[in-house]
Amino acid sequence: MKLQVRGVQEGQPIPEKFAFGVFSEQDHMSFGPNRNPEMVWEEAPEGTKSFVVMMFDPDVPSVADDVNQEGKTVAADLPRVDFFHWLLIDIPASLSRIPEGEDSDGVSPKGKAWGPGPIGVRGINNYTQFLAGNPDMAGTYAGYDGPCPPWNDEIIHHYHFEVHALDVASLGLEGEFDGNAVREAMAGHVLASARVTGTYTLNPALRS
């Protein structure tokens, strides 16, 4: 299988138009355009009955105590965990493209709706947990919400855009399912996968 994420080159910085947060000299971070990039895939194997699209960041701090705190940094050697930014399941096998901006076009305070969306079924991304303590933003976040790594992190974050071809038409997931639930449901049903990885940082010391 082959995957193109239009505007995102393998191993290169992700454009700000796809980001939830963009660099700000005054406040470290401000809201970005938060558009989902166009994804196009081809050469799905025979027997494909549906697709799963996901995007996740494996570089998120496992402990958030120092995240975005003045006078502190998030140490490079801190253990990291996966943070899911985009989950779409049960995408019909007849589809091979998600247009730019189709699943997200702007930051939606308190989140976008979960369940059936413009393309496939939306799962819950981890902004749900990350913003839970913010009274202006707390809510259930579904669909695409782009990069917004800690502005004081010592490492550049990587973002894996993936498409998976499955041998089932539906994963049978309903309600507020998350990335771990998708991975568990996909196990044993993946016929082929493809990935494109981009990078992103809000730390001015790491920005080129």
Side-chain angles (χ1 to χ4, degrees):
M1 250 178 105
K2 296 179 181 178
L3 170 65
Q4 292 184 59
V5 183
R6 300 279 169 81
V8 177
Q9 300 298 317
E10 180 67 32
Q12 298 300 307
I14 294 171
E16 287 188 340
K17 70 174 176 174
F18 302 136
F20 187 96
V22 297
F23 176 69
S24 165
E25 289 188 5
Q26 292 76 30
D27 304 314
H28 300 291
M29 186 278 290
S30 59
F31 289 137
N34 201 41
R35 290 173 64 83
N36 71 272
E38 179 181 4
M39 293 184 59
V40 181
W41 56 91
E42 58 185 355
E43 299 182 18
E46 187 175 348
T48 297
K49 295 183 179 178
S50 72
F51 296 103
V52 165
V53 162
M54 65 171 60
M55 189 266 266
F56 66 97
D57 170 6
D59 298 320
V60 170
S62 57
V63 179
D65 294 355
D66 295 333
V67 166
N68 297 339
Q69 297 296 311
E70 293 284 357
K72 297 183 179 181
T73 60
V74 177
D77 60 358
L78 188 71
R80 306 288 168 148
V81 297
D82 289 348
F83 184 111
F84 290 93
H85 286 262
W86 197 11
L87 296 166
L88 288 178
I89 68 168
D90 301 354
I91 299 171
S94 58
L95 297 183
S96 60
R97 174 178 174 264
I98 300 175
E100 180 181 318
E102 181 74 14
D103 195 59
S104 181
D105 187 11
V107 171
S108 299
K110 302 186 181 296
K112 293 185 287 295
W114 48 267
I119 296 175
V121 179
R122 289 171 167 164
I124 304 302
N125 68 53
N126 286 121
Y127 281 105
T128 302
Q129 292 77 29
F130 182 70
L131 296 172
N134 184 329
D136 296 324
M137 297 293 292
T140 302
Y141 284 74
Y144 178 88
D145 284 301
C148 187
W151 48 258
N152 61 341
D153 204 334
E154 291 182 348
I155 69 170
I156 293 174
H157 285 223
H158 297 77
Y159 297 83
H160 301 312
F161 294 85
E162 297 182 341
V163 61
H164 305 277
L166 308 185
D167 64 2
V168 291
S170 173
L171 288 180
L173 296 175
E174 297 179 348
E176 298 181 18
F177 60 86
D178 62 10
N180 291 325
V182 173
R183 284 177 170 170
E184 290 177 10
M186 284 198 312
H189 295 289
V190 180
L191 299 174
S193 300
R195 169 190 282 186
V196 173
T197 300
T199 65
Y200 199 76
T201 181
L202 292 173
N203 186 338
L206 300 177
R207 291 168 58 88
S208 55

